[in-house]
Amino acid sequence: MADSLSLVSGAQLPTMGLGVWKVPAERCVSLIDEAISIGYRHFDCACDYGNEAEVGEGLQRTIQAHSIARDDLWITSKLWNTYHRRQHVRAAVERSLSDLRLDYLDLYLIHFPIAQQFVDFQDRYPPGWFFDPQGDVPQMRFDQVPLSETWEAMEDLVKAGLVREIGVCNFGTALLRDLSSYARIQPAVLQVELHPYLTQEKLLRFCEQQGVRVTAFSPLGAGSYCELEMATPEESVLREPVVQAIAGNHQRTAAQIVLRWAIQRGTAVVPKTVSSERLLENWQAQDFVLTDREMQQISQLDRGRRFNDPGDFCERAFNTFCPIYE
Protein backbone atom coordinates (compact mmCIF):
# COMPACT_ATOMS: atom_id res chain seq x y z
CA MET A 1 0.00 0.00 0.00
CA ALA A 2 1.54 3.28 -1.10
CA ASP A 3 1.86 6.10 1.41
CA SER A 4 0.57 9.61 0.82
CA LEU A 5 0.64 13.03 2.46
CA SER A 6 -2.57 14.99 3.08
CA LEU A 7 -2.51 18.57 1.82
CA VAL A 8 -4.53 21.34 3.44
CA SER A 9 -7.12 20.94 0.68
CA GLY A 10 -7.50 17.26 1.49
CA ALA A 11 -5.70 16.17 -1.68
CA GLN A 12 -3.38 13.19 -1.26
CA LEU A 13 0.21 13.60 -2.49
CA PRO A 14 1.77 10.15 -3.07
CA THR A 15 4.90 9.87 -0.96
CA MET A 16 6.94 7.97 -3.54
CA GLY A 17 7.30 9.70 -6.89
CA LEU A 18 9.46 9.33 -9.95
CA GLY A 19 11.54 12.35 -10.93
CA VAL A 20 12.26 12.69 -14.64
CA TRP A 21 15.09 15.25 -14.47
CA LYS A 22 17.88 13.99 -16.74
CA VAL A 23 15.83 11.03 -17.99
CA PRO A 24 16.64 10.74 -21.74
CA ALA A 25 13.61 11.49 -23.88
CA GLU A 26 13.84 8.11 -25.61
CA ARG A 27 13.56 6.30 -22.25
CA CYS A 28 10.53 8.19 -20.93
CA VAL A 29 7.74 6.22 -22.63
CA SER A 30 8.87 2.79 -21.45
CA LEU A 31 9.92 4.11 -18.03
CA ILE A 32 6.47 5.57 -17.34
CA ASP A 33 4.89 2.26 -18.30
CA GLU A 34 7.21 0.30 -15.98
CA ALA A 35 6.64 2.73 -13.13
CA ILE A 36 2.85 2.57 -13.32
CA SER A 37 2.99 -1.22 -13.54
CA ILE A 38 4.97 -1.26 -10.27
CA GLY A 39 2.55 1.09 -8.54
CA TYR A 40 3.92 4.61 -9.06
CA ARG A 41 1.28 7.28 -9.45
CA HIS A 42 3.35 10.43 -8.75
CA PHE A 43 5.48 11.87 -11.56
CA ASP A 44 7.62 14.97 -11.11
CA CYS A 45 8.16 16.91 -14.33
CA ALA A 46 9.26 20.38 -15.45
CA CYS A 47 9.48 22.48 -18.58
CA ASP A 48 13.22 22.77 -18.06
CA TYR A 49 13.75 18.99 -18.14
CA GLY A 50 13.08 19.01 -21.87
CA ASN A 51 11.17 15.72 -21.92
CA GLU A 52 7.55 16.58 -21.09
CA ALA A 53 6.33 15.61 -24.57
CA GLU A 54 7.81 12.14 -24.17
CA VAL A 55 6.48 11.82 -20.62
CA GLY A 56 3.08 12.79 -22.00
CA GLU A 57 3.27 10.09 -24.63
CA GLY A 58 4.17 7.59 -21.94
CA LEU A 59 1.29 8.70 -19.72
CA GLN A 60 -1.23 8.55 -22.52
CA ARG A 61 -0.18 5.08 -23.67
CA THR A 62 0.00 3.70 -20.16
CA ILE A 63 -3.32 5.14 -19.01
CA GLN A 64 -4.96 3.41 -21.96
CA ALA A 65 -3.06 0.13 -21.59
CA HIS A 66 -3.58 -0.21 -17.83
CA SER A 67 -7.03 1.38 -17.63
CA ILE A 68 -5.71 3.90 -15.09
CA ALA A 69 -7.99 6.84 -14.33
CA ARG A 70 -6.42 10.28 -14.70
CA ASP A 71 -7.55 11.17 -11.18
CA ASP A 72 -5.47 8.28 -9.82
CA LEU A 73 -2.28 9.98 -11.01
CA TRP A 74 -0.40 12.91 -9.49
CA ILE A 75 1.43 14.97 -12.09
CA THR A 76 3.64 17.88 -11.06
CA SER A 77 5.25 20.40 -13.38
CA LYS A 78 7.10 23.66 -12.85
CA LEU A 79 7.08 27.24 -14.10
CA TRP A 80 10.45 28.13 -15.61
CA ASN A 81 12.38 31.28 -14.72
CA THR A 82 11.71 33.05 -18.03
CA TYR A 83 7.93 32.94 -17.57
CA HIS A 84 7.51 34.80 -14.27
CA ARG A 85 5.68 37.82 -15.71
CA ARG A 86 1.91 37.63 -15.34
CA GLN A 87 1.26 37.50 -19.08
CA HIS A 88 3.53 34.46 -19.58
CA VAL A 89 2.42 32.20 -16.71
CA ARG A 90 -0.73 30.82 -18.31
CA ALA A 91 0.99 30.28 -21.66
CA ALA A 92 3.72 28.34 -19.88
CA VAL A 93 1.34 25.98 -18.11
CA GLU A 94 -0.70 25.50 -21.27
CA ARG A 95 2.46 24.43 -23.10
CA SER A 96 3.28 21.92 -20.37
CA LEU A 97 -0.29 20.61 -20.41
CA SER A 98 -0.15 20.22 -24.19
CA ASP A 99 3.16 18.36 -24.04
CA LEU A 100 1.97 16.15 -21.19
CA ARG A 101 -1.36 15.52 -22.97
CA LEU A 102 -3.31 16.51 -19.88
CA ASP A 103 -6.27 18.75 -19.10
CA TYR A 104 -4.94 19.77 -15.68
CA LEU A 105 -1.92 19.44 -13.39
CA ASP A 106 -2.21 18.20 -9.84
CA LEU A 107 0.58 20.56 -8.77
CA TYR A 108 2.37 23.47 -10.43
CA LEU A 109 5.47 24.90 -8.79
CA ILE A 110 7.59 28.01 -9.29
CA HIS A 111 10.86 26.26 -10.18
CA PHE A 112 13.29 28.84 -8.76
CA PRO A 113 12.95 32.24 -7.07
CA ILE A 114 14.82 33.61 -10.08
CA ALA A 115 13.07 35.80 -12.67
CA GLN A 116 14.79 35.90 -16.05
CA GLN A 117 13.89 37.83 -19.16
CA PHE A 118 11.28 36.21 -21.38
CA VAL A 119 12.34 33.98 -24.25
CA ASP A 120 9.62 33.49 -26.84
CA PHE A 121 8.33 29.93 -27.19
CA GLN A 122 8.95 30.07 -30.93
CA ASP A 123 12.55 31.15 -30.44
CA ARG A 124 13.55 28.37 -28.05
CA TYR A 125 11.73 25.82 -25.89
CA PRO A 126 12.64 24.93 -23.29
CA PRO A 127 14.55 28.20 -23.01
CA GLY A 128 17.24 27.05 -20.55
CA TRP A 129 19.36 29.44 -18.52
CA PHE A 130 21.06 31.55 -21.21
CA PHE A 131 19.24 34.53 -22.68
CA ASP A 132 21.20 34.20 -25.94
CA PRO A 133 23.18 30.94 -26.19
CA GLN A 134 24.81 32.20 -29.40
CA GLY A 135 26.20 35.38 -27.87
CA ASP A 136 29.92 36.05 -27.66
CA VAL A 137 29.77 35.48 -23.91
CA PRO A 138 26.38 33.90 -23.26
CA GLN A 139 24.89 34.80 -19.89
CA MET A 140 21.67 34.77 -17.92
CA ARG A 141 19.64 37.96 -18.12
CA PHE A 142 17.48 38.79 -15.10
CA ASP A 143 14.09 40.49 -15.01
CA GLN A 144 12.66 42.55 -12.16
CA VAL A 145 9.42 40.68 -11.51
CA PRO A 146 7.85 40.77 -8.04
CA LEU A 147 7.09 37.36 -6.62
CA SER A 148 3.60 38.69 -5.84
CA GLU A 149 2.92 39.16 -9.56
CA THR A 150 3.97 35.62 -10.40
CA TRP A 151 2.02 34.13 -7.51
CA GLU A 152 -1.17 35.97 -8.40
CA ALA A 153 -0.91 34.55 -11.91
CA MET A 154 -0.39 31.07 -10.39
CA GLU A 155 -3.56 31.55 -8.34
CA ASP A 156 -5.42 32.40 -11.54
CA LEU A 157 -4.44 28.99 -12.91
CA VAL A 158 -6.25 27.34 -10.01
CA LYS A 159 -9.34 29.43 -10.64
CA ALA A 160 -9.22 28.48 -14.33
CA GLY A 161 -9.08 24.78 -13.47
CA LEU A 162 -5.72 24.28 -15.17
CA VAL A 163 -3.99 23.26 -11.95
CA ARG A 164 -5.34 21.95 -8.65
CA GLU A 165 -2.53 22.88 -6.27
CA ILE A 166 0.27 25.45 -6.46
CA GLY A 167 3.56 25.69 -4.65
CA VAL A 168 7.22 26.60 -4.88
CA CYS A 169 10.69 25.09 -5.24
CA ASN A 170 14.00 26.17 -3.77
CA PHE A 171 12.49 28.68 -1.35
CA GLY A 172 13.67 29.32 2.20
CA THR A 173 11.73 30.44 5.23
CA ALA A 174 12.05 34.18 4.52
CA LEU A 175 10.51 33.89 1.04
CA LEU A 176 7.82 31.53 2.30
CA ARG A 177 6.93 33.92 5.11
CA ASP A 178 6.69 36.83 2.68
CA LEU A 179 4.63 34.83 0.20
CA SER A 180 2.15 33.69 2.84
CA SER A 181 1.52 37.28 3.92
CA TYR A 182 -0.31 38.18 0.70
CA ALA A 183 -1.20 34.84 -0.93
CA ARG A 184 -4.92 34.29 -1.36
CA ILE A 185 -4.10 30.63 -2.01
CA GLN A 186 -1.33 29.47 0.29
CA PRO A 187 1.46 27.32 -1.19
CA ALA A 188 0.53 23.66 -0.78
CA VAL A 189 3.97 22.15 -1.36
CA LEU A 190 7.60 23.18 -1.13
CA GLN A 191 10.07 21.12 -3.15
CA VAL A 192 13.69 21.43 -2.04
CA GLU A 193 16.93 19.48 -1.99
CA LEU A 194 16.85 17.17 1.04
CA HIS A 195 19.09 14.23 1.95
CA PRO A 196 21.14 13.14 4.97
CA TYR A 197 23.93 15.61 4.11
CA LEU A 198 21.34 18.45 3.92
CA THR A 199 18.62 17.69 6.46
CA GLN A 200 17.14 21.23 6.62
CA GLU A 201 15.59 20.68 10.05
CA LYS A 202 14.50 24.28 10.61
CA LEU A 203 12.91 24.53 7.17
CA LEU A 204 10.95 21.32 7.72
CA ARG A 205 9.77 22.51 11.11
CA PHE A 206 8.65 25.85 9.67
CA CYS A 207 6.73 24.14 6.86
CA GLU A 208 5.00 21.86 9.33
CA GLN A 209 3.85 24.89 11.29
CA GLN A 210 2.60 26.56 8.11
CA GLY A 211 0.77 23.50 6.76
CA VAL A 212 3.09 23.26 3.76
CA ARG A 213 4.01 19.76 2.65
CA VAL A 214 7.59 19.11 1.55
CA THR A 215 8.92 17.08 -1.37
CA ALA A 216 12.59 16.14 -1.32
CA PHE A 217 14.42 16.29 -4.64
CA SER A 218 17.78 14.56 -4.97
CA PRO A 219 16.87 12.48 -1.91
CA LEU A 220 19.87 10.21 -2.51
CA GLY A 221 22.31 13.11 -2.56
CA ALA A 222 25.38 13.31 -4.77
CA GLY A 223 24.60 10.71 -7.44
CA SER A 224 22.83 12.93 -9.97
CA TYR A 225 25.50 15.62 -9.67
CA CYS A 226 28.70 13.67 -10.23
CA GLU A 227 28.38 13.64 -14.02
CA LEU A 228 27.70 17.40 -13.90
CA GLU A 229 30.91 17.87 -11.88
CA MET A 230 28.88 19.36 -9.05
CA ALA A 231 29.79 16.51 -6.69
CA THR A 232 32.34 13.73 -6.37
CA PRO A 233 31.66 10.00 -5.84
CA GLU A 234 33.32 10.30 -2.43
CA GLU A 235 30.45 12.57 -1.36
CA SER A 236 27.86 9.81 -1.71
CA VAL A 237 25.88 9.33 1.49
CA LEU A 238 25.28 5.75 0.35
CA ARG A 239 28.90 5.00 1.23
CA GLU A 240 28.51 6.10 4.84
CA PRO A 241 29.33 3.23 7.24
CA VAL A 242 26.27 3.95 9.37
CA VAL A 243 23.99 3.77 6.30
CA GLN A 244 25.67 0.55 5.21
CA ALA A 245 25.28 -0.93 8.68
CA ILE A 246 21.59 -0.05 8.88
CA ALA A 247 21.09 -1.50 5.41
CA GLY A 248 22.64 -4.75 6.62
CA ASN A 249 20.39 -4.83 9.66
CA HIS A 250 17.30 -4.60 7.47
CA GLN A 251 18.65 -6.61 4.52
CA ARG A 252 18.01 -3.60 2.32
CA THR A 253 20.11 -1.47 0.02
CA ALA A 254 21.71 1.78 1.15
CA ALA A 255 19.44 3.70 -1.24
CA GLN A 256 16.35 2.15 0.32
CA ILE A 257 17.55 3.15 3.77
CA VAL A 258 18.06 6.79 2.75
CA LEU A 259 14.69 6.94 0.98
CA ARG A 260 12.97 5.36 3.97
CA TRP A 261 14.58 7.93 6.25
CA ALA A 262 13.13 10.71 4.10
CA ILE A 263 9.66 9.15 4.07
CA GLN A 264 9.63 8.69 7.85
CA ARG A 265 10.50 12.36 8.24
CA GLY A 266 7.16 13.13 6.61
CA THR A 267 8.42 14.20 3.20
CA ALA A 268 7.58 12.95 -0.27
CA VAL A 269 10.51 11.86 -2.44
CA VAL A 270 11.07 11.98 -6.20
CA PRO A 271 14.23 9.96 -6.92
CA LYS A 272 15.26 9.75 -10.56
CA THR A 273 16.32 6.54 -12.24
CA VAL A 274 16.35 5.01 -15.70
CA SER A 275 17.04 1.52 -14.33
CA SER A 276 14.18 -0.96 -14.11
CA GLU A 277 15.86 -2.65 -11.15
CA ARG A 278 16.28 0.60 -9.21
CA LEU A 279 12.76 1.70 -10.06
CA LEU A 280 11.45 -1.31 -8.15
CA GLU A 281 14.10 -0.96 -5.45
CA ASN A 282 13.07 2.63 -4.76
CA TRP A 283 9.39 1.69 -4.62
CA GLN A 284 10.10 -0.97 -2.01
CA ALA A 285 11.49 1.66 0.37
CA GLN A 286 7.88 2.05 1.51
CA ASP A 287 7.41 -1.39 3.05
CA PHE A 288 9.66 -1.36 6.13
CA VAL A 289 10.35 0.92 9.10
CA LEU A 290 13.51 2.36 10.64
CA THR A 291 13.88 2.63 14.39
CA ASP A 292 14.06 5.99 16.13
CA ARG A 293 17.75 5.34 16.82
CA GLU A 294 18.44 4.60 13.16
CA MET A 295 16.59 7.75 12.11
CA GLN A 296 18.70 9.78 14.52
CA GLN A 297 21.95 8.21 13.32
CA ILE A 298 21.18 9.10 9.72
CA SER A 299 20.13 12.65 10.59
CA GLN A 300 23.44 13.16 12.39
CA LEU A 301 25.21 12.87 9.02
CA ASP A 302 24.09 16.42 8.18
CA ARG A 303 26.89 18.54 6.68
CA GLY A 304 24.85 21.37 5.26
CA ARG A 305 26.08 20.17 1.85
CA ARG A 306 23.92 21.55 -0.96
CA PHE A 307 24.67 20.10 -4.39
CA ASN A 308 22.11 22.10 -6.39
CA ASP A 309 23.07 25.70 -5.65
CA PRO A 310 22.63 28.40 -8.33
CA GLY A 311 25.12 30.49 -6.36
CA ASP A 312 27.75 27.96 -7.43
CA PHE A 313 26.70 26.38 -10.71
CA CYS A 314 25.33 29.45 -12.51
CA GLU A 315 28.66 31.26 -12.44
CA ARG A 316 30.54 28.18 -13.59
CA ALA A 317 28.07 26.97 -16.23
CA PHE A 318 26.26 30.15 -17.29
CA ASN A 319 28.81 32.93 -16.69
CA THR A 320 26.46 34.61 -14.22
CA PHE A 321 26.66 35.01 -10.45
CA CYS A 322 23.25 34.04 -9.11
CA PRO A 323 23.08 33.33 -5.35
CA ILE A 324 19.64 32.63 -3.86
CA TYR A 325 20.25 30.94 -0.50
CA GLU A 326 22.63 33.40 1.17
Side-chain angles (χ1 to χ4, degrees):
M1 185 74 177
D3 296 328
S4 63
L5 302 176
S6 295
L7 306 188
V8 170
S9 67
Q12 298 296 307
L13 170 65
T15 302
M16 179 61 69
L18 174 63
V20 298
W21 177 50
K22 292 173 57 191
V23 173
E26 63 273 13
R27 177 69 172 109
C28 286
V29 176
S30 59
L31 186 66
I32 296 296
D33 182 74
E34 291 174 25
I36 287 181
S37 296
I38 288 170
Y40 286 83
R41 296 295 182 266
H42 176 183
F43 297 93
D44 185 71
C45 313
C47 155
D48 188 54
Y49 300 165
N51 56 12
E52 286 194 326
E54 291 76 17
V55 170
E57 181 182 351
L59 289 172
Q60 184 179 63
R61 288 190 187 183
T62 306
I63 287 171
Q64 294 171 350
H66 294 272
S67 299
I68 299 292
R70 166 65 184 93
D71 284 351
D72 291 334
L73 298 175
W74 184 282
I75 312 298
T76 296
S77 188
K78 306 177 187 76
L79 178 76
W80 186 239
N81 305 341
T82 53
Y83 307 133
H84 278 212
R85 287 207 171 272
R86 184 192 312 276
Q87 63 266 34
H88 304 313
V89 172
R90 179 159 181 160
V93 79
E94 288 177 340
R95 175 60 188 263
S96 281
L97 287 170
S98 175
D99 284 349
L100 291 167
R101 307 187 188 192
L102 300 174
D103 295 324
Y104 68 90
L105 291 171
D106 297 275
L107 177 63
Y108 199 45
L109 304 171
I110 297 176
H111 204 149
F112 282 97
I114 301 170
Q116 296 178 243
Q117 288 197 12
F118 176 65
V119 175
D120 194 280
F121 293 85
Q122 295 182 353
D123 292 340
R124 193 170 68 253
Y125 188 89
W129 293 83
F130 287 128
F131 179 73
D132 179 9
Q134 306 305 317
D136 292 339
V137 182
Q139 292 180 307
M140 298 164 59
R141 188 177 294 179
F142 300 112
D143 197 3
Q144 298 298 315
V145 185
L147 177 58
S148 57
E149 176 180 326
T150 308
W151 191 254
E152 185 174 335
M154 296 279 285
E155 292 173 326
D156 289 342
L157 302 181
V158 178
K159 296 173 187 174
L162 297 174
V163 306
R164 294 190 171 177
E165 307 283 349
I166 51 177
V168 294
C169 298
N170 302 298
F171 276 45
T173 56
L175 279 177
L176 285 171
R177 196 184 301 276
D178 181 69
L179 174 58
S180 69
S181 70
Y182 54 77
R184 290 170 296 165
I185 300 175
Q186 293 293 318
V189 175
L190 167 67
Q191 185 176 129
V192 289
E193 181 180 344
L194 279 175
H195 44 74
Y197 284 166
L198 186 69
T199 61
Q200 306 231 52
E201 303 285 351
K202 293 177 183 177
L203 181 57
L204 285 184
R205 182 178 173 185
F206 179 78
C207 286
E208 183 177 2
Q209 291 177 346
Q210 298 297 311
V212 178
R213 289 300 193 178
V214 176
T215 297
F217 74 74
S218 301
L220 297 175
S224 293
Y225 300 98
C226 290
E227 64 189 74
L228 301 175
E229 299 183 349
M230 295 161 66
T232 64
E234 290 72 29
E235 292 182 287
S236 173
V237 70
L238 305 184
R239 296 185 176 193
E240 286 284 349
V242 68
V243 173
Q244 294 281 346
I246 295 171
N249 292 341
H250 289 269
Q251 297 185 311
R252 297 284 178 158
T253 66
Q256 287 175 323
I257 297 302
V258 171
L259 291 174
R260 183 65 214 175
W261 168 83
I263 290 169
Q264 280 188 222
R265 298 178 86 211
T267 67
V269 292
V270 286
K272 165 261 178 184
T273 185
V274 296
S275 162
S276 300
E277 179 181 347
R278 288 178 183 158
L279 193 67
L280 178 59
E281 176 186 323
N282 292 347
W283 179 257
Q284 292 172 336
Q286 298 177 97
D287 61 14
F288 69 101
V289 177
L290 298 173
T291 67
D292 291 344
R293 172 62 177 156
E294 289 168 337
M295 290 291 293
Q296 182 181 34
Q297 287 176 308
I298 297 169
S299 294
Q300 288 172 345
L301 296 172
D302 185 34
R303 301 178 178 179
R305 175 64 166 105
R306 190 187 305 276
F307 297 107
N308 193 325
D309 187 347
D312 293 329
F313 72 74
C314 283
E315 190 164 24
R316 182 174 61 253
F318 306 116
N319 305 311
T320 309
F321 182 48
C322 183
I324 64 172
Y325 297 116
E326 287 70 21

